[in-house]
Amino acid sequence: DLEEAAQQFEFLNEIHGGVGAPSDLYYIGALVASRKERDPNAAVRQLQETARVHLEAVPLDIISTESLIKLNPDFVTNLAKEMLECAGSEPAPTGEPASPLVGKALDVLRPVMRACPGILDVKLMVAQTRYLSADFDGAQSALADAIAMDPSHASSHMLMAKIFLEMQRYREANSSLEQALSHSFEVRESPLYFLLRAQCHEKQGEWKQALSVLQSAMKLPGVAKIAEPGGRGAVQAVKGPSQDERAQIFIHLATVHTEMGQTPEAAKIIQDAKGEFYGTPAHAQIIIVDADLALRRGDVQAALMLLKGIGPDSPHYIKAKVASANIHLTHRHDKKVYIRYFEELVERNKESITTYCMLAEAHMRLQEPDKAVLAYQEARKLEERQSGDRGDSDLAGKIGQAFISSHDFQGAIQYLEEAVRKQPKKLGLRLTLANLFTNLSRSEDAIGVCDSAEEMLGSADTVESLMNRTRVLQLKAKVYKRADNGEMYAKTLVEANAMQSRILGRLRGEAAELGREQRRVAADICAELAKYHEQGKRYNEALGFYGEALKHDEKHADSMISLAKLHMDREELAEARKQCMALLKHDLQTETATMMLADIMFRSNEFDEAIRYFAQMLELKPNNYKALEQLILLVRRAGRLHESAANKQGDALRFLRLAERSSARAALDGGYHYCKGIYARYTRNFPEALQELNEARKDGEWGCKAICHMIEIYLDPDQLGEELNTGAMIETDKVKTARELRKELASSSIAPMKLRLYEAYELLMIQHSKTAEQAVGKFTEILNDEKDSVAALLGLSFALRLLKQDAKARNHLKRISKMQYNSEEAEEMELSYLLLAEGYIQSNKNDLAQELCRKCLTHNKSCAKAWEYQGLIYEKEASYADAAQVYEMAWQFDNQRNPAVGYKLAFNLLKAKRYVDAINICHLVLAIQPSYPKLQTEILLKARSSLRP
C-alpha cells in the first residue's frame, strides 16, 4: 500500500531525517517520490543523495568482509536499477549525450564490479549503461560475459535484441527474442518482449504486423491502465510493467497509426497517453512524440508550441530544447537559432558539463570544429574544477576528435594521450589514438599504443577481454599492412585468428546471436589472411582460408566474391558460377555478382546471355559506369568490342551511346569520359583515348584510374625499338608526360609498388644503355620486395633484351608462363606470353609459340598481337590461306589502324589468290600511311595484274 508506505516514511523522516540520516532513508524517500508522488525530480535528487551518503561510508580501497558488509552489493544494485529506470530505456540520439543518471549509475556500480565481479545483474546493468550511452559495441561485449555466465537468462537476450535493433541487424534481433522465449515462456507476458517485436517490424516497414503486436501488448495487465494502489493492485503496481515500458508502447502505437495514415487513431492514443502519464517523467516524452507527429503532418509551428510547453523542471527539458533546435535547423534551415538554443542551455546552467558538450556537438554538426573545440575546452575546465584529476576522460577523447575534424592532428594527439593517461582502462581511447597514428603514417607510435593496450588487457580470460584483445590485434594488423610489413601483418592475423577461435569455443552452444557476430569477425580475419596469401601467389593457402571464412559465415560476401574470382583465374568456371549464384540467392552485392556471372558466361561463350545481364542493369540505370566499365573489359576479352557483321553496332558502343542520351550531364561525368577513354584505348584510337581520359583525370572517383591508363599508353612497350641509344640521352615527350602524371598519383591511394613500376618503365622507355641498366636495378629491387610481381618480371625481360641478354630475359618469361593466370595482372601476363612467343618464333619453335598464342587468346580474344603471331607462323609454313584468315582477325582487332598488319594481310591474301580482298586492304593501308614501302609495287600492282584476263 503506497499510502501506508508514505506515512511510515514521514514518521521515520521526522525521527532520523536531517544531517547524518542513513542511506536507506533517502532510498525509501526516492521510492515514495517516484511511485506515489510521481515527482521524478525529487526521486532523482533522493537517489543521488542515497548514493553519496552510502558510498562515503564504504572504504573503497580495501576489499574485506567488513567492507563488503558496509557496501551491501544488493542495496547498491537496486539503487543503480532505480537510477537507470529514471534515465529512460532508449539510447541517446546521435550527437546527444546520455542522461547524467547513466554515468552516475555506472559510478555507483563500480565498487560492486571490483568487489563482486561475478554478480550477473551487475554485468547486465553495465551493458545497459553502455547501451543508453549509444556504445553498442561495448554493450555487446559486456553482455557476452553475462550470457556466457548464464545462457538461459532471458533478460540478457532481451537486452541483446535491443542492441541489435539499434545496430539495424533485425534478423539477429529476432533471433535474440526467440532465444529469450525458448529459455522462459514467461517472456510472452512481458510488455518489453512485445515492444521489441513491434520495433523489429517497424524498422523493416512492416506496419500491419507492428500494429497487431502492439495491440496485443495493450491487452496485457497493467499496460493500458495502471492498477490502483491497495489490495491486489499493490502487488501489480510493483511487479507490473515499468512506467517507461508502458509509455513506449503508447508512443510506438501512435507512431504506427501515423505511418499507416490513421491520423485520428494516432491522435486518440496520444490524448489517452497524456492523461495516463500526466505528472510523470513519461508525460514529457509523450509531448515530444506529439510534436513529432505534428511535424509529420507538416505543422512546424504546432510542434514548436508543444515543445515550448515542457518546462525547466521536467527531466526531459533538455531533450525538448534539442528537438526544437533540430526543427529550426532541418525545417527552417536557421543555423543561428539552432545554435542559440544550445547557448541558452549553457547560460541557464553554466556549471553543467553536459550542456557545454551539447553546444560543442552542435558546432560539429554545423561543421565548425574550431568553435566545438572551444566549447569542449570550457567543459574540460569545468570538469577539472569539479573533479580534479578524476575527471572522465571521455571529454578529452571528444576534444581529440574535434581536433581531428579541424585537421589539428598534434592537438588531437595531445588530448587523446591525456585521455589515455587519466583513464588507462578505457580501450576505445587507445584504439582511437592508434588509428590516428596509423592515418598519419606514424606506424611505430601506433604499434606502441597497441602494445600498451595488450598489456592493459593482460591475461584476463573473460569473453569480453578476449574480444577486446582480438580488436587490438586486428588494428595492429592494419598498422603493419599500412607500413608494408607483410610478415608481421600475417603473423598478427594468425594470432587474431587463434584468439577468435578461443572465443568461438567459449560461446559454442550458448548465445546464438552473439556467436553469429563473433563468427562474422572470424570470417573477416580468415578473408584477410586469404587475400594476403593470394597476393603472394600462394593460391592453395588462399583457397583454404576463404573456405574457412565461409565455414564461419556462409554469407560472407567478400570471401564469396574473392573465391569466385580465384576460381575464374583457375578456369574453374563451375565453382565460380556456384559462388555467384549463392551471392544472388542471399541478395548480397548483387551488382558485383551479376557482373561476375556475365564474365563467366563470356568465358563459356554464352555471349548473348552475358550481354542480357548487362542490358538489364544498364537499361535500368544507363549511368552505372562501373557496370559499363566492366562490360567494355568483358566484351574486349570476348572479341566483341569492335563493330562486325554479326555485331553491327558493337555491344560496348551501344551502351556508351545509351549513357550519353540518358542525361544532359553525361558529358560532365568523369565516369562517362573514363569509359569512353578505355573504349578508345582498346580500339587503338590513342589520341581520342588520351583526350577522354584527360577529361576524367580530375574526377574524385575515376581520376586515379584514368591517369594510370594514360601512363600505360605513354609507356607502351610496343613502342620499344630493337637497339639502345649509346649517344646523348634524349627523353621523349611521352616519357616526360608520364613522369608528370606519376607525380600526380604520389598522394593518391594507388599502391606505392605500382608507382615504382611506372618509374622503372620510364627509364626503360628512354631506351639508352645507361637508363636500361638503371631500369634493371629498379625492377630487381621491386622483385626483392615482391618476388612474383609479373609486371616487374616483364619489365626486367624487356630491359635485358635491349641489353642483348636474351637468355636471361627468356628465363624470366618462362617463369611467368608457368604461373597461374591472375586477372589482376592480365595485361602483363598477356604481354609476357607474346614476348616469349616472339622469341620462340625466331628460334623456329612454332609449336611452343602457337601454344602461348592460344593461351593468350583464351583470356583475351581481342589480342591483335596473338593473332598476328599466329599468322606469322602459318606464313612461315607457307599456309597462306590460314595466315590470311588470322591476319584478318589481327587487322580487325587493331581497328584497321596498324599498317604493318595490313601489309601482311594483303600479302597473304595475294598469295592465297584473293586478289580483290588484297586490293581493298591495300587501299585501307594507303589511307592510313600513303607512302607505305613496297605496298604498291609488291602487292597492289601484282593483284591488279592478276585480275586481268
Side-chain angles (χ1 to χ4, degrees):
D1 189 329
L2 294 177
E3 193 65 42
E4 180 70 22
Q7 291 175 8
Q8 292 294 329
F9 169 70
E10 287 179 15
F11 176 69
L12 289 169
N13 200 35
E14 285 293 329
I15 298 172
H16 301 290
V19 179
S23 58
D24 306 63
L25 191 61
Y26 287 111
Y27 181 66
I28 295 169
L31 294 180
V32 170
S34 172
R35 285 163 171 71
K36 180 181 182 295
E37 298 171 7
R38 295 192 175 187
D39 185 346
N41 294 323
V44 169
R45 286 195 299 271
Q46 294 278 26
L47 288 171
Q48 290 175 336
E49 195 64 20
T50 304
R52 184 189 66 78
V53 172
H54 187 77
L55 294 179
E56 279 180 356
V58 179
L60 301 178
D61 53 341
I62 301 172
I63 298 177
S64 63
T65 305
E66 183 182 350
S67 67
L68 281 174
I69 293 170
K70 287 185 177 180
L71 178 62
N72 191 352
D74 286 342
F75 176 76
V76 174
T77 302
N78 288 331
L79 174 60
K81 279 182 182 176
E82 289 296 325
M83 285 183 165
L84 291 176
E85 174 76 20
C86 293
S89 62
E90 297 300 309
T94 305
E96 295 181 29
S99 165
L101 283 173
V102 175
K104 294 186 184 299
L106 192 57
D107 290 338
V108 167
L109 287 170
R110 281 196 179 104
V112 183
M113 291 161 59
R114 186 168 61 251
C116 312
I119 298 178
L120 181 61
D121 281 352
V122 172
K123 291 182 179 293
L124 280 176
M125 280 190 281
V126 169
Q128 190 175 353
T129 60
R130 294 180 181 177
Y131 167 75
L132 293 173
S133 303
D135 178 11
F136 303 122
D137 290 330
Q140 192 178 353
S141 297
L143 264 184
D145 277 334
I147 291 173
M149 186 183 295
D150 183 4
S152 64
H153 195 263
S155 298
S156 302
H157 295 287
M158 299 275 274
L159 180 54
M160 188 66 84
K162 294 174 76 172
I163 293 168
F164 281 132
L165 270 173
E166 293 297 330
M167 296 172 79
Q168 298 182 354
R169 289 162 51 185
Y170 309 122
R171 188 168 63 87
E172 286 93 335
N174 270 317
S175 175
S176 293
L177 290 174
E178 293 302 321
Q179 196 87 354
L181 186 60
S182 69
H183 290 302
S184 173
F185 288 120
E186 292 179 4
V187 166
R188 288 181 298 185
E189 305 301 318
S190 164
L192 179 59
Y193 172 75
F194 285 91
L195 185 59
L196 292 174
R197 274 188 59 200
Q199 284 180 281
C200 283
H201 290 305
E202 286 177 44
K203 299 285 187 182
Q204 297 175 84
E206 299 169 349
W207 303 109
K208 287 184 180 180
Q209 294 91 324
L211 180 62
S212 175
V213 171
L214 289 168
Q215 287 172 340
S216 298
M218 290 292 282
K219 295 175 184 176
L220 292 174
V223 175
K225 290 286 183 182
I226 193 169
E228 293 296 326
R232 293 178 63 187
V235 178
Q236 289 184 342
V238 176
K239 293 187 178 180
S242 70
Q243 185 184 93
D244 193 68
E245 287 173 354
R246 294 179 61 232
Q248 289 300 319
I249 289 171
F250 276 89
I251 288 168
H252 281 275
L253 190 55
T255 303
V256 169
H257 277 303
T258 304
E259 291 290 346
M260 295 177 71
Q262 300 169 355
T263 309
E265 290 86 345
K268 183 178 184 305
I269 295 292
I270 290 293
Q271 290 306 313
D272 291 345
K274 284 180 179 178
E276 186 66 24
F277 296 99
Y278 183 76
T280 70
H283 184 258
Q285 286 182 280
I286 302 297
I287 297 297
I288 292 170
V289 172
D290 196 14
D292 186 50
L293 295 177
L295 279 179
R296 291 169 184 258
R297 296 192 301 268
D299 195 343
V300 175
Q301 190 59 38
L304 290 170
M305 290 301 295
L306 284 165
L307 293 169
K308 193 175 182 181
I310 300 175
D313 57 337
S314 169
H316 296 285
Y317 173 71
I318 291 178
K319 190 173 182 180
K321 284 293 181 185
V322 171
S324 299
N326 286 333
I327 290 171
H328 280 285
L329 181 65
T330 56
H331 292 273
R332 293 187 170 177
H333 308 290
D334 194 332
K335 294 181 181 180
K336 290 183 179 178
V337 175
Y338 172 74
I339 283 294
R340 195 181 306 143
Y341 271 97
F342 294 98
E343 290 172 342
E344 287 172 2
L345 287 173
V346 170
E347 287 296 321
R348 179 175 288 278
N349 190 354
K350 291 189 175 182
E351 296 301 309
S352 169
I353 297 171
T354 301
T355 53
Y356 275 108
C357 287
M358 292 175 72
L359 176 60
E361 283 157 7
H363 281 302
M364 289 293 288
R365 187 175 179 184
L366 297 181
Q367 298 181 345
E368 297 172 344
D370 295 334
K371 293 180 180 178
V373 168
L374 295 176
Y376 275 133
Q377 287 175 332
E378 289 297 321
R380 185 67 173 160
K381 290 175 186 175
L382 184 60
E383 183 185 60
E384 288 171 352
R385 285 204 306 271
Q386 293 178 358
S387 307
D389 285 340
R390 295 182 294 105
D392 184 359
S393 63
D394 271 351
L395 190 51
K398 289 177 181 178
I399 295 173
Q401 290 289 358
F403 272 118
I404 291 171
S405 298
S406 62
H407 302 287
D408 184 356
F409 301 117
Q410 192 54 45
I413 291 169
Q414 177 186 338
Y415 268 93
L416 286 170
E417 287 179 336
E418 178 188 359
V420 171
R421 180 178 63 81
K422 288 188 177 295
Q423 201 167 1
K425 295 291 183 184
K426 201 144 193 175
L427 179 63
L429 291 171
R430 293 178 186 269
L431 296 182
T432 302
L433 180 59
N435 265 314
L436 177 56
F437 280 135
T438 304
N439 293 332
L440 294 175
S441 299
R442 291 174 56 176
S443 303
E444 291 184 7
D445 292 323
I447 293 295
V449 174
C450 290
D451 288 340
S452 68
E454 287 187 272
E455 289 175 16
M456 180 269 293
L457 290 169
S459 58
D461 200 38
T462 63
V463 173
E464 181 178 7
S465 64
L466 292 176
M467 288 164 64
N468 284 334
R469 284 162 73 183
T470 299
R471 288 173 64 195
V472 174
L473 287 169
Q474 284 182 289
L475 177 56
K476 203 172 180 180
K478 175 184 171 184
V479 177
Y480 282 127
K481 186 177 181 180
R482 287 277 189 93
D484 208 19
N485 188 339
E487 184 181 349
M488 288 305 299
Y489 169 65
K491 183 179 177 183
T492 308
L493 280 177
V494 168
E495 193 177 343
N497 194 31
M499 187 69 65
Q500 199 62 20
S501 296
R502 286 180 62 190
I503 294 170
L504 293 176
R506 294 278 291 276
L507 292 175
R508 189 172 291 119
E510 294 177 0
E513 67 287 340
L514 185 59
R516 188 179 297 114
E517 169 63 21
Q518 292 308 306
R519 285 196 297 275
R520 189 176 293 114
V521 173
D524 289 339
I525 294 169
C526 288
E528 285 293 318
L529 278 166
K531 287 174 186 173
Y532 168 75
H533 285 296
E534 189 176 356
Q535 287 168 0
K537 308 289 194 299
R538 295 177 292 275
Y539 298 112
N540 290 331
E541 289 89 338
L543 282 171
F545 277 111
Y546 282 133
E548 191 177 334
L550 291 173
K551 284 180 184 176
H552 289 307
D553 180 9
E554 64 176 8
K555 296 181 180 179
H556 196 261
D558 285 346
S559 294
M560 293 165 83
I561 288 169
S562 298
L563 192 55
K565 287 180 179 176
L566 192 51
H567 281 308
M568 287 166 68
D569 287 345
R570 293 161 67 95
E571 294 300 317
E572 297 164 353
L573 300 184
E575 288 296 320
R577 190 187 294 256
K578 181 180 175 182
Q579 294 299 329
C580 292
M581 296 308 292
L583 283 163
L584 294 172
K585 176 185 174 183
H586 297 303
D587 198 26
L588 299 169
Q589 298 198 23
T590 52
E591 188 172 300
T592 303
T594 301
M595 288 193 282
M596 289 177 66
L597 197 56
D599 191 357
I600 293 167
M601 289 176 176
F602 270 115
R603 296 186 188 205
S604 304
N605 296 323
E606 302 171 23
F607 301 122
D608 293 333
E609 188 67 17
I611 294 295
R612 186 175 67 81
Y613 273 96
F614 279 105
Q616 288 174 351
M617 283 189 288
L618 292 170
E619 284 170 4
L620 188 65
K621 188 181 177 184
N623 61 348
N624 184 347
Y625 297 120
K626 288 183 179 178
L628 187 53
E629 175 196 19
Q630 192 69 15
L631 173 66
I632 292 169
L633 296 175
L634 291 181
V635 295
R636 173 189 174 227
R637 292 213 306 269
R640 292 166 61 98
L641 191 62
H642 305 77
E643 298 179 17
S644 65
N647 189 25
K648 292 184 179 177
Q649 190 179 0
D651 296 311
L653 194 57
R654 173 161 63 97
F655 289 112
L656 275 170
R657 288 170 180 166
L658 180 63
E660 186 177 16
R661 292 195 301 268
S662 68
S663 168
R665 292 185 53 82
L668 303 175
D669 282 339
Y672 172 71
H673 287 291
Y674 173 81
C675 290
K676 282 191 73 176
I678 62 171
Y679 175 80
R681 179 189 175 185
Y682 294 138
T683 53
R684 309 286 295 177
N685 189 348
F686 296 126
E688 184 182 335
L690 290 169
Q691 183 180 343
E692 294 293 342
L693 291 168
N694 193 52
E695 289 288 333
R697 179 175 147 207
K698 299 299 181 183
D699 187 81
E701 182 179 0
W702 300 95
C704 289
K705 292 170 78 173
I707 291 173
C708 287
H709 277 285
M710 292 176 74
I711 292 173
E712 287 162 17
I713 291 171
Y714 285 125
L715 302 180
D716 185 358
D718 276 351
Q719 303 168 44
L720 283 171
E722 294 292 330
E723 300 294 332
L724 286 172
N725 177 17
T726 55
M729 191 185 302
I730 301 172
E731 279 193 1
T732 64
D733 290 339
K734 289 182 179 180
V735 173
K736 291 177 183 176
T737 307
R739 182 180 293 113
E740 292 302 315
L741 290 170
R742 173 173 57 82
K743 289 177 181 177
E744 288 185 26
L745 292 174
S747 59
S748 70
S749 58
I750 297 295
M753 189 70 73
K754 193 163 190 173
L755 299 181
R756 290 169 64 189
L757 283 165
Y758 287 153
E759 185 180 3
Y761 271 99
E762 288 165 18
L763 293 169
L764 183 64
M765 295 302 294
I766 294 173
Q767 211 166 328
H768 190 276
S769 55
K770 185 178 179 181
T771 57
E773 289 172 0
Q774 290 174 347
V776 168
K778 292 278 185 185
F779 286 125
T780 305
E781 287 174 12
I782 293 169
L783 287 167
N784 289 336
D785 295 334
E786 192 176 323
K787 64 177 183 178
D788 289 326
S789 169
V790 176
L793 286 168
L794 174 64
L796 182 58
S797 301
F798 274 119
L800 291 170
R801 282 186 50 149
L802 286 174
L803 292 168
K804 303 304 180 185
Q805 299 177 28
D806 291 349
K808 287 184 179 179
R810 188 162 50 250
N811 288 335
H812 290 308
L813 294 170
K814 284 180 180 179
R815 180 179 163 193
I816 296 172
S817 70
K818 293 174 184 177
M819 290 181 183
Q820 181 183 305
Y821 182 80
N822 175 11
S823 57
E824 298 296 323
E825 298 175 295
E827 299 290 331
E828 291 83 0
M829 296 198 92
E830 288 170 18
L831 277 173
S832 303
Y833 300 156
L834 294 171
L835 195 58
L836 184 57
E838 183 183 351
Y840 283 143
I841 292 170
Q842 290 171 356
S843 305
N844 290 320
K845 297 178 180 178
N846 293 340
D847 290 343
L848 293 174
Q850 277 277 28
E851 184 183 339
L852 286 167
C853 289
R854 290 193 191 101
K855 190 174 182 179
C856 191
L857 291 169
T858 299
H859 300 291
N860 180 11
K861 289 184 173 61
S862 293
C863 184
K865 187 67 75 173
W867 291 109
E868 183 183 346
Y869 284 167
Q870 281 197 326
L872 185 57
I873 293 167
Y874 284 128
E875 186 179 346
K876 289 177 73 176
E877 294 172 350
S879 180
Y880 300 115
D882 291 333
Q885 187 176 353
V886 290
Y887 273 132
E888 192 168 3
M889 299 296 290
W891 176 244
Q892 291 298 329
F893 289 127
D894 264 329
N895 207 22
Q896 301 182 0
R897 293 175 184 275
N898 189 336
V901 173
Y903 176 88
K904 292 174 185 177
L905 172 58
F907 175 79
N908 281 276
L909 288 170
L910 177 68
K911 289 289 187 179
K913 300 182 179 180
R914 292 170 56 184
Y915 305 121
V916 174
D917 292 332
I919 292 169
N920 290 336
I921 296 299
C922 287
H923 286 305
L924 292 173
V925 173
L926 291 169
I928 302 168
Q929 191 171 335
S931 59
Y932 196 87
K934 298 183 181 180
L935 184 69
Q936 293 201 33
T937 56
E938 296 291 328
I939 302 174
L940 185 58
L941 293 177
K942 287 182 180 180
R944 283 175 177 168
S945 63
S946 298
L947 284 174
R948 293 178 186 141

